[in-house]
Each structure stands twice: as structure tokens, then as C-alpha cells.
Amino acid sequence: MMAAHGRLGIATLVAGCWAGGPLAAQVGIGGDLTVPVPYVWRGVTRSQAVVVQPSAFLATGGSRDSVRVGVWMSIDATKTRADQLSDLGPGRAGLAETNLWLHYQHDQGPVSLALGIIGYRFRDAGLTATRSTRWNTTELYASVQARGARFAPRIDAWWDVDRVRGAYFEASASVPVLGNIEGYPFWAIYLRGLAGYSAGQERNRGRAGELAYFSSPGLTHAVLTASTNLAVPGVASRPLRETVQLLLDLSVQINRDGATKIMDAESPPTQKRVKLWATFGVSLPASRLF
Amino acid sequence: LSRRARGTVLVTAWLAAGCVNYHERPLPAPLSGSTGGCASAEPPRSERSGELLAGFGRADITPPPGVSLAGNGPEGKQARGYRMHLYARVIFLQDPAGERLAFVVADLPHVSLTLQRLVAARILCPTAIGADRLIFSATHTHSAPGNFYEARQYNRASSVLPGYDSAGTEFLVARIAGAIVTAAGSLRPARLAWTVSPIWGHTRNRSYDAYLRNRPAPRPRFSPPDGLDPVQRAVDPGWTMIRLDTLAKDGSPRPAAALSVFAIHGTGNPSENDLLDGDIHALVERSLERAIDSLSDSLDGRPARLPGFRNRAVHLFANGTEGDVSPDWPANSRCDVPTLRPAPRSGGPRSLQRWEWAHPPAAQVGTCMAAARTYVNSVGDALGDSARAIFRRLDGKGSGQVRIARAFTTLHLKRDADALGLCSKPAIGTSTAAGADDGVTRFAHWRFAGLVDVGLEEGGGAVSRNPKGCQREKNTILALALGPHDLPEEAQLMVVRIGDLLLGVLPAEVTTEAGAQMRRAILRAAPRTVEIALIGLANGFMQYVATDQEYSAQSYEGGSTLYGPHSAAVLASALGSLTARLDSAGQSSPPAKVDPVMMYPGGGGKFFPRPDRPSPQVVRERRPVASCSGDTLVVSWRDAVPGAFQVADGPVLEIQDSTAAWGHAAWDDDRYVEVRALRTFRKSALWELRWAAPGSGVYRLVLLPRADGATTATSNSRPCGRR
């Protein structure tokens, strides 16, 4: 697995540097650290352990074209019980997932277009794990977003080109709701509505060996998320000198697909129509490195 | 109560205390001539001198980089350095009968009740002048510090760093009080003359639609020249100047000082400016001061000399009815405001999207800042020429027998609202948050949840569709977020007589037509008055005052008229009453009392840089290194951290020119010099000077020795400048 990680990492870095070179000489660095409770991905509850998810990226580019390359990890910081969900399986903790990604973005006026590739890599965590190396896969993705100052609709499309095959779409829109009209410390609540749609990433009855994230095609789930990020006055990372942001997301999700309804690892698993989840985090915006 | 209930009560009480924590405390109420708190039971008495006496003072009030620049609300920047030094200038007058007055004009965005009362208390014993004889006003530069207000809202929202800064306030109070005491201690026989001249073409009415609502239709105070744009006509162009000459040993007059009143916002710099700066006013002040020094030298037979770091003369440039009057800046001198946009996902495609403020690109900021600097220099020079011409017109017209007097009162706007005819609950309109056209904020045209218009604009949704209640057309949705003591509750008013000139002094930004209404009220009370001028932004700050009709438009000024549509009429009436009292007292000042008032500054903030130890580290090896970028001399060096030494203590640096055997080229108080503390480390900071050299030459920078022990340091020399 390490070899695969290495190859993907080198490939993305080389691609990033190659693509970034002509765009601009300025390179930035940033990242964040989040703690989702529980860890939900594409509407599917993945882990009920305390999960820590650090990420870091390098960015280069100008005001219209930019390239980012980064790494994202999911670490189960606590062990789960037998009746709880986790990527590593009950009684285990540690690194569960690593993603490497390369992202190109073009901003044209109020519209933002993005293309990218993401590699998902899991540990060889044993038979009890819900994710293991056989889930390693790669997706291409594209997105288009209207970057309006007050309303930002967005469509994302992912196409798995490896183990899962098929496409997954998300349509979302977010709006900021002003919190502090005086401006400093500025804060707002961002409301985001999102719907997921599977077009091939569900169970494929014709190909029994193919992996699947969902039970059936079509609408998978819908989420309403309220987010806020608060600048921490006076707390800036040195030497980057960017203001650290505290993040908080609260989500209420309506589950439609069977996979999104599963709320724990009991047998038979409990299924619910609605679930709540939250994400706490700290973020460091992109800062100029050199 | 159960433990849980007790806990809930405690937490609720704690949170509530945080929300209503105004830090209420009384302000001093120093009355001229009173002895309370003085070491001597008898304050210095003003003697009948038989002739007019005048003294002058100047305090450098440039704070260290790090403070926030007030006046532009959320769009203001934290100061990274300075351009033109900030000064408070003082004229102290004593008439033949012993009546005393002190005029102070400071390069500040506003003067708070806190500042005025604290300064008055500090000067009461040495000068016998209290709050009732101190006329303390601001030029209204938006490139100077705030955080000194008695009202919590202004400490919270007038600049980017929220809170009342006690150290910054004390810095200003101590220096300004010191300059007044110096002026009082240097009284000399003087001659005074005054005049009013119209100056057209440099200002315009920024809320013209609201102005046009006035009925009867406004009539210009002076006949405008042909071909002037209507918005340039819709201002008060009157430039009132008081000229003071002191007497030389042979009894002949020597030009010494001037007090000007002219209506123009101090917003030549756009909100992207990150330097402390006196703006347009600084250039006008210096222009006349240099002319006076030069004239004085020539009368004394002294040869012409290079200007020193500080001029000897003082020119106080006070603001008039500038509420709706902007400098007529070109549109390209304004920078775009930040816009909130979805940010790239920091955690890659896996993470939730954040939003971030997208600031205008550096290149665009550079372009608009360059345009603004060019404009400020140009209009500053033009108005400076006007000031010099007006000053010269007063040659030989001064009199030593001018009598002065004042009438003073404190209006308790909130406590006495019903009796006065004001709204009992002050409120900010939504148009205030959107900003005026020369100070648009990032919140302009914001919609709730992206869809619902809540009136964050001038006019439009800022005008209540169903006018009712005392605030009538004002959309008061923002008032929901205000506490009971967040806005100012008192207004100190004064009418000052200087010979046959009357000055109305009030703590507000008065629109052109509201000012006309006030002048009419003063004239009705004293029909024999020859001329009337209004000094705004003086002795406190209660935001704007628009006329009733202007208020109905809910432009920025109407939205910022806190006490409702009758505010202008109430202030006009109060000024009329004061004038009547002054008139009925004959040549003397009528009795006055200075009412006790409270301040509610809210929580504190530590923005004025404080040295972190009693003896801050001195950087012995400052090692300035010069280079040339285009036509700009760039010098960087290590020095003490901001606050470890005071920029205001004197010249920090001098640029020297090789062509005159390393003679003087510029100080760090020059329109083309920008000094910034680029980065601050634990024991030192990286400083940078940028100087747009006016001509080609070989230059070097000399860092001057300072009281903190820093010794002279000289950079390498570099050829630089326009070729």
C-alpha cells in the first residue's frame, strides 16, 4: 500500500508542479483539522469513533487559475465497540484512510470551474473492518459553481474509474446569513442545502464483485447544514501570519438510500430516516509560502 | 434550587453580564474657573490685559503602528505605519477683559465626549479653562485612531479593532492637554481679523437626491460660478478664516496662526489605506503654516530657509457642515470592497466548502491608492493655495480690541428626549451599515439568506414602507442589536462670539441644509450678527444630523441621524437659545454649568502598542539598507517594536541628497514618504521606508538618534528617482 501511496503522491506532486509552474510563481500552504461526530461521507455513516481528520495542501496560481495538491487523512482516535460503525472495525484505532488529491480551478467572473482527481487509500485492517485495501480507488471529479457574493449554487460530479465504477452527483446551494453587521470580528452562518444522487455507485446486480457505496440508484440523501467559521483574533500561525479560523458545522440529513440509513453496526442494523451530525475544526487559510 | 438550576442561572447571569457590560463610569465635569481638584485653591486668574492675547500650541499625536484607523467601520485597516504625522493644534485666546477660550483642532476622525472632558479636566487648573470654554474639534481624517468614545457602539464599530483603548486615550489626552497648557503659557499681544470666502469646485454633495427633497428649495449661501456641476453647487463653500498676528518688539504685527472652518470630509484616502495620515487637511494645514513662517521670516529680515520638521505657525483647519460633503475625488481613487465568496475547499474535494472575503487584488489596490494619493496631493495643494490667498486678504486688518465670549450647554438627548422633541431611543438605520458613497461597506446590498432585502443600502429598502413611530422612515432593524447605552446620550453645544463673528459648535456631522437651518436660527436670535460659521465634529460625537426632509430619504446621513427626523430642528433651536443668552449677556459670557455625564465605553481593547517591559529593548544595530525600485527609494532596517518608542516624539528619520553635500531632502512627515512596520518579532521589528523621489539623485537615509537610546544609523547611498 505504501508503494501505491508513494506513486500517487509523486504523481500528484509532479502534476501539480507542472501545472502550477506556468500559472504563477507564488506558492501557498494551508490546511485544516476537523473532528466529525459521527463521520459521515456522502450521507453514509462511516465511523462512530472519535475521528480526527487533518489535511494539508500546497496551492499555486493567480486570481483566475489555481492548482492545489493535498493530502487528507482520517484517523480513528478511539476504539469502537462491536455495535458501532468504524472503518477499522471494532476494537481498533489509528489511521484509517488517506486521500491524495490534485485540483485545478478556473474562475471566470462569477463562475468557478474545477477538475480534479482523488485517490482513496485504506489500511489493510483485517476482516472486521468495513474499509480495507480492497476499497482503494480513484475518482475523477468536476464541479461548477456560481460564486455569487450572496448565493452560491454548485454541482459536483464524481466518476469512479477504479473499484466502484460509476458516477455520483451532488447539487448544492449555500447562502451566508450575516451574523455581525459591524464587521469585526466578522461572522456569518452559512446555510447549505445539498442533495446526493447515485448514477452507478450503487450495488451493481450485474457485477457481483464490484464495490458499491449505495444500495440503489437515484437520490441518496439530502442535507441541510449550518456552518460558521470564526476568526480567532490575535491568533495567527507564524510564520504564515494568517488568522486561524474555528469551524463548526451542524447538519441534519434526510436519508433515502438504504446505505445512508444505517446508523450502527448492530445486526440487523438499525435504520433511521433522519440523522444529525456535526463537525468541529480549525482551519488555516491558504498562506503565501514563497 | 437544584444544582442544575443554579448552574443555569449562573451561566445565564454571566452571559447577560457580558452582553450588557458597559463599564459605566462618570466623566469629569470641569467648569472654567472652578478650583475643584487644583493644588492651589485659586486657579490662575485671567487678568484684564487691555488687549487681545493669543498663545499657540502643537502636539504630535501620531500613535505607533498597530492601532486601527477609525471612520470607515469594517473597511478601515489596522495601521501598519504612517505618512503625514497627526497633530493637534491649539489657539488660546484671552480678550482685553480677560475672557478666555481654547480652540483645538486635531487630526482625528472624531472627538468624543470622553476626550473633551478628560482634556478639559487636565487643563482646568493650569489654564482656568474647563469643558465650557474648550472648543475641541476633529479634521475628520479617516486615517487616524479611534477607540476613545464614551459610547460602546463607536468603540465597537467605527474601526476594525473593537474596544475602548485606555492607553490610546491617555496618549491623546496627555499630549493635547500639554499643548493647550503650553499655549496658555505663551500668551502674547495679538491682532485678530476674520473673513469668509467661497471656495468652489473641490467638494460635492454626496447625497444629492436627499438634498433635493428640502423644502423650501435650498438657496446657495454664495453665488456659484457658471458651469459648476449641480452636485458641486449643493454644498456650503464658505471658508471662514480667523487670522492671528502677534506683535513684535517694535509693536508691528507678525503673522502667527489661523483658524479655518471649511466643509469637506476627511476621506481623500480610501478605506484600503493602511497608514496613519492627516489626509487632505494635513496638506492644507502645512501649506498655510509654511507660508506664515516664510512671511514672518521675511518681515523679520531673516533669510529664507528650508522648512524644519515642524512649522512654527499653526493653522487649525476645522470642519464645517460636511455631513453630506465629500471631496470631489475621481471614481478611480476608490478601491473595491471585499466580497464574500465561497473559498476553495482546503481539505480538497472531501471537505465542506467555506466562505472567505475576497479582497481586491493587490494590483487594483495599488492603482486606486496611487490615484487617491495623487488626488489628495492635488486638492491639498489647491486648497492650501486658497488658504494662503484668504490669509493674505486679511493683511493689516487685525484688531487687538476684539472681544470674545461663549454660551455653553449640555443637551441630554436621551434623558430629555420628550422635552426636546427627539426620539427617546436613538437608532442607527440600515443605510448606515451600507455606508455612504465614499465609504461603501462590504455589507451594501446584502440580502438576508441571499434573498430577503433588509435595506442595507441608501434609500430603497432602508426606507420603511410603513413609516411609524418616532424614527418614522428609518428602517431600525439594526437597533435590535443595540443595548440601552450603546449610542451617545449627550450633546455639548456652544456658541462662540469673536468680535462680530459667531461660531456655532456642535458634536455632529451636519448636512449642508441642516447647517443652513442652524445658521438661520442663530441669525434670528442675534440679527446684528455679521457672519456665522458652524464647527462640526466638536466636543463630542453624535454621528450625523440631516434635515427632516433629508431624513425621509434615508440616505447614509439620514440613517445616521440617531435621534430622529427632528434632530436638526432641535439643535437649531438649541443653538438659537444659546445665541440669545450670549446676546443678552452683553460683551461677557453668560454663566454656564458643565453637567455630570457618564461614559459607557464597553469592554477594553489593547491596540495602542505598549512596550512589554518597563525598559524595552533598544535595537543598537539598526542597519538601514537602501535600494531603488522604479522611482521609489526603499529602505529597510531593524528597529524597536512599535510602541517601544513614540513616532510622535520627533523626527524618526531624514532622507538626504548627495547633490547638496548630503543636505536635507525629506523628513518622515512628507506626502511622498511612507513608513511601515512590516513585521514584528519578539524584540524588534522590520521597518520600511518608501519615498517616491521627486527628482533623480543619489539619496541615503539617516535614522535619527532618539530618547530611548537609539543612535544615528545611516544607510548606503542609492541613485534613484524620475529620470
Side-chain angles (χ1 to χ4, degrees):
Chain A
M1 189 178 76
M2 289 309 293
H5 271 175
R7 280 197 299 276
L8 183 57
I10 291 166
T12 49
L13 277 169
V14 167
C17 294
W18 170 79
L23 295 172
Q26 188 169 303
V27 176
I29 187 172
D32 62 22
L33 187 145
T34 55
V35 179
V37 182
Y39 168 30
V40 176
W41 178 70
R42 288 186 186 168
V44 177
T45 303
R46 289 272 296 271
S47 180
Q48 291 169 291
V50 174
V51 177
V52 179
Q53 295 175 334
S55 68
F57 65 85
L58 287 172
T60 185
S63 57
R64 291 175 62 175
D65 295 281
S66 61
V67 171
R68 290 183 176 218
V69 57
V71 60
W72 180 96
M73 286 181 281
S74 183
I75 302 163
D76 282 8
T78 59
K79 297 173 181 174
T80 50
R81 300 188 308 265
D83 59 350
Q84 289 182 308
L85 294 166
S86 80
D87 283 348
L88 293 172
R92 301 185 62 154
L95 178 66
E97 179 183 357
T98 303
N99 296 169
L100 291 167
W101 51 271
L102 173 68
H103 180 94
Y104 165 75
Q105 184 165 319
H106 175 76
D107 297 327
Q108 185 71 46
V111 178
S112 175
L113 301 166
L115 296 170
I117 180 169
I118 179 168
Y120 303 85
R121 295 294 180 268
F122 297 91
R123 283 178 66 180
D124 189 8
L127 293 175
T128 57
T130 53
R131 289 286 189 274
S132 63
T133 50
R134 72 190 198 92
W135 285 85
N136 290 352
T137 190
T138 303
E139 282 184 326
L140 301 177
Y141 66 87
S143 70
V144 57
Q145 176 163 37
R147 298 174 73 232
R150 299 170 194 101
F151 181 71
R154 176 184 179 109
I155 292 174
D156 290 271
W158 281 269
W159 179 38
D160 191 296
V161 294
D162 196 354
R163 303 282 178 84
V164 180
R165 316 292 288 181
Y168 170 74
F169 298 94
E170 278 181 355
S172 62
S174 56
V175 293
V177 179
L178 202 55
N180 180 9
I181 197 77
E182 287 149 6
Y184 191 89
F186 175 82
W187 65 275
I189 295 171
Y190 307 97
L191 298 178
R192 186 186 68 157
L194 177 149
Y197 188 93
S198 175
Q201 296 200 350
E202 69 282 355
R203 190 173 299 131
N204 188 335
R205 297 185 191 283
R207 299 157 101 180
E210 191 175 284
L211 299 173
Y213 297 136
F214 303 104
S215 305
S216 54
L219 187 66
T220 56
H221 66 293
V223 191
L224 179 66
T225 301
S227 307
T228 189
N229 45 311
L230 293 170
V232 185
V235 179
S237 64
R238 290 174 186 274
L240 303 175
R241 305 173 65 78
E242 285 292 333
T243 306
V244 170
Q245 304 264 330
L246 296 180
L247 315 174
L248 172 63
D249 305 332
L250 297 172
S251 298
V252 55
Q253 177 176 314
I254 298 167
N255 309 315
R256 187 174 180 281
D257 186 86
T260 64
K261 292 178 180 173
I262 297 171
M263 299 290 284
D264 51 49
E266 289 175 342
S267 184
T270 312
Q271 296 202 349
K272 290 193 176 174
R273 293 279 304 190
V274 177
K275 63 184 161 197
L276 301 173
W277 43 283
T279 303
F280 306 91
V282 179
S283 173
L284 178 65
S287 312
R288 186 174 173 176
L289 188 59
F290 54 83
Chain B
L1 289 173
S2 68
R3 277 183 67 179
R4 174 175 288 185
R6 278 202 302 268
T8 305
V9 169
L10 276 172
V11 168
T12 307
W14 180 74
L15 289 172
C19 290
V20 296
N21 194 359
Y22 298 101
H23 299 268
E24 173 182 302
R25 71 188 93 154
L27 281 170
L31 177 67
S32 299
S34 62
T35 57
C38 297
S40 163
E42 288 289 309
R45 287 197 178 280
S46 51
E47 303 294 335
R48 286 177 174 272
S49 53
E51 62 182 333
L52 182 73
L53 303 179
F56 313 107
R58 173 196 295 271
D60 192 324
I61 54 169
T62 316
V67 299
S68 57
L69 305 177
N72 283 315
E75 304 316 333
K77 297 285 174 286
Q78 192 171 6
R80 296 184 73 198
Y82 60 98
R83 185 170 172 250
M84 309 285 282
H85 278 238
L86 307 177
Y87 286 109
R89 295 166 168 90
V90 181
I91 292 177
F92 197 105
L93 295 178
Q94 179 178 311
D95 79 359
E99 286 269 0
R100 288 184 156 197
L101 288 173
F103 290 88
V104 180
V105 179
D107 295 329
L108 290 174
H110 315 111
V111 167
S112 65
L113 188 62
T114 300
L115 277 185
Q116 202 262 358
R117 287 292 180 96
L118 292 178
V119 168
R122 201 72 63 93
I123 64 171
L124 178 64
C125 295
T127 68
I129 277 195
D132 57 313
R133 287 178 185 271
L134 172 62
I135 300 106
F136 181 3
S137 72
T139 61
H140 203 37
T141 171
H142 284 39
S143 306
N147 303 106
F148 48 58
Y149 304 92
E150 77 282 2
R152 185 168 74 159
Q153 177 65 10
Y154 300 152
N155 291 321
R156 210 162 48 177
S158 67
S159 58
V160 75
L161 300 178
Y164 176 75
D165 191 339
S166 57
T169 304
E170 171 56 25
F171 169 82
L172 294 172
V173 168
R175 284 180 177 254
I176 293 168
I180 299 171
V181 172
T182 300
S186 63
L187 291 177
R188 287 165 281 169
R191 300 290 178 261
L192 184 150
W194 66 266
T195 189
V196 182
S197 292
I199 303 296
W200 295 101
H202 300 295
T203 53
R204 62 176 171 79
N205 193 306
R206 68 183 186 187
S207 293
Y208 189 58
D209 291 344
Y211 174 83
L212 289 178
R213 290 191 179 210
N214 285 299
R215 290 291 177 274
R219 284 187 307 176
R221 190 176 165 199
F222 298 89
S223 295
D226 293 338
L228 206 61
D229 194 278
V231 293
Q232 292 180 316
R233 291 165 175 249
V235 299
D236 176 1
W239 186 312
T240 305
M241 182 181 286
I242 297 170
R243 168 173 168 164
L244 283 152
D245 291 40
T246 52
L247 300 187
K249 286 176 185 169
D250 63 359
S252 58
R254 293 287 181 271
L259 166 64
S260 293
V261 185
F262 182 66
I264 181 169
H265 250 78
T267 49
N269 289 325
S271 57
E272 280 291 329
N273 168 57
D274 64 353
L275 297 176
L276 293 153
D277 184 30
D279 210 289
I280 294 168
H281 289 74
L283 294 168
V284 182
E285 289 158 348
R286 283 161 178 76
S287 175
L288 182 55
E289 286 170 355
R290 287 201 189 105
I292 294 173
D293 281 353
S294 174
L295 195 55
S296 180
D297 283 344
S298 134
L299 288 170
D300 282 336
R302 286 194 292 264
R305 51 186 171 178
L306 284 168
F309 177 68
R310 290 181 186 127
N311 300 312
R312 285 172 285 123
V314 291
H315 175 207
L316 286 67
F317 191 21
N319 231 315
T321 52
E322 49 68 53
D324 50 1
V325 179
S326 281
D328 195 17
W329 39 255
N332 67 348
S333 69
R334 302 299 101 173
C335 308
D336 289 346
V337 291
T339 49
L340 192 63
R341 293 192 180 282
R345 299 179 175 202
S346 59
R350 294 292 305 269
S351 63
L352 190 64
Q353 186 162 41
R354 308 288 163 195
W355 289 64
E356 67 181 9
W357 287 107
H359 291 264
Q364 199 242 332
V365 172
T367 303
C368 62
M369 283 304 307
R373 296 273 193 249
T374 302
Y375 168 72
V376 167
N377 292 341
S378 143
V379 76
D381 287 343
L383 290 176
D385 290 346
S386 300
R388 295 199 290 208
I390 298 169
F391 190 85
R392 278 196 300 270
R393 234 172 277 155
L394 292 167
D395 264 346
K397 294 187 178 168
S399 164
Q401 294 303 314
V402 174
R403 297 293 303 274
I404 60 175
R406 66 89 187 92
F408 171 88
T409 192
T410 304
L411 293 186
H412 297 275
L413 304 168
K414 192 171 179 184
R415 189 191 72 188
D416 300 337
D418 290 343
L420 291 168
L422 296 171
C423 299
S424 56
K425 190 175 180 190
I428 292 172
T430 49
S431 55
T432 306
D437 84 329
D438 56 357
V440 174
T441 75
R442 63 188 69 188
F443 303 121
H445 306 291
W446 192 289
R447 286 169 178 261
F448 179 76
L451 300 171
V452 183
D453 178 5
V454 290
L456 288 166
E457 58 188 331
E458 290 194 282
V463 183
S464 173
R465 288 178 190 164
N466 181 22
K468 59 183 179 182
C470 186
Q471 296 281 3
R472 239 174 43 194
E473 290 89 355
K474 189 184 287 177
N475 180 339
T476 57
I477 191 169
L478 298 178
L480 299 173
L482 294 177
H485 297 296
D486 274 359
L487 294 170
E489 299 178 7
E490 278 84 23
Q492 297 188 132
L493 302 184
M494 211 185 287
V495 174
V496 174
R497 187 177 58 228
I498 299 176
D500 47 8
L501 170 69
L502 284 185
L503 298 174
V505 179
L506 67 168
E509 299 188 57
V510 179
T511 63
T512 303
E513 194 52 22
Q517 189 176 345
M518 291 171 196
R519 269 201 309 276
R520 287 195 292 271
I522 291 172
L523 190 62
R524 276 197 298 274
R528 286 168 298 161
T529 302
V530 172
E531 192 55 75
I532 300 158
L534 294 178
I535 299 179
L537 293 151
N539 293 348
F541 182 56
M542 54 174 288
Q543 273 179 261
Y544 286 76
V545 174
T547 65
D548 192 315
Q549 292 93 341
E550 289 167 349
Y551 182 93
S552 67
Q554 284 300 297
S555 59
Y556 178 73
E557 295 78 20
S560 306
T561 300
L562 303 178
Y563 282 89
H566 306 307
S567 300
V570 169
L571 291 181
S573 167
L575 287 171
S577 300
L578 277 179
T579 307
R581 275 166 54 192
L582 187 63
D583 210 40
S584 62
Q587 297 271 33
S588 308
S589 293
K593 65 188 181 73
V594 178
D595 292 349
V597 291
M598 303 297 291
M599 65 185 285
Y600 306 94
K606 291 186 174 181
F607 315 124
F608 188 89
R610 294 127 159 109
D612 56 358
R613 55 180 73 86
S615 300
Q617 179 131 352
V618 175
V619 177
R620 298 282 174 200
E621 299 291 332
R622 297 196 280 174
R623 293 182 183 155
V625 177
S627 60
C628 184
S629 170
D631 62 354
T632 303
L633 183 72
V634 181
V635 187
S636 57
W637 71 97
R638 286 267 175 161
D639 211 327
V641 297
F645 69 94
Q646 292 299 342
V647 171
D649 283 346
V652 173
L653 53 87
E654 182 182 18
I655 300 164
Q656 296 180 340
D657 182 350
S658 71
T659 55
W662 297 118
H664 168 83
W667 305 104
D668 60 315
D669 179 35
D670 183 289
R671 65 177 73 182
Y672 298 113
V673 168
E674 298 184 350
V675 180
R676 286 182 174 82
L678 291 183
R679 292 184 71 172
T680 300
F681 307 98
R682 202 166 67 84
K683 292 182 177 177
S684 66
L686 177 65
W687 293 72
E688 183 193 77
L689 166 134
R690 301 182 80 84
W691 179 57
S696 77
V698 179
Y699 303 102
R700 70 181 187 187
L701 178 77
V702 178
L703 297 172
L704 301 170
R706 292 195 304 256
D708 67 350
T711 54
T712 304
T714 305
S715 77
N716 55 310
S717 56
R718 293 291 296 188
C720 204
R722 296 189 187 94
R723 288 171 177 81

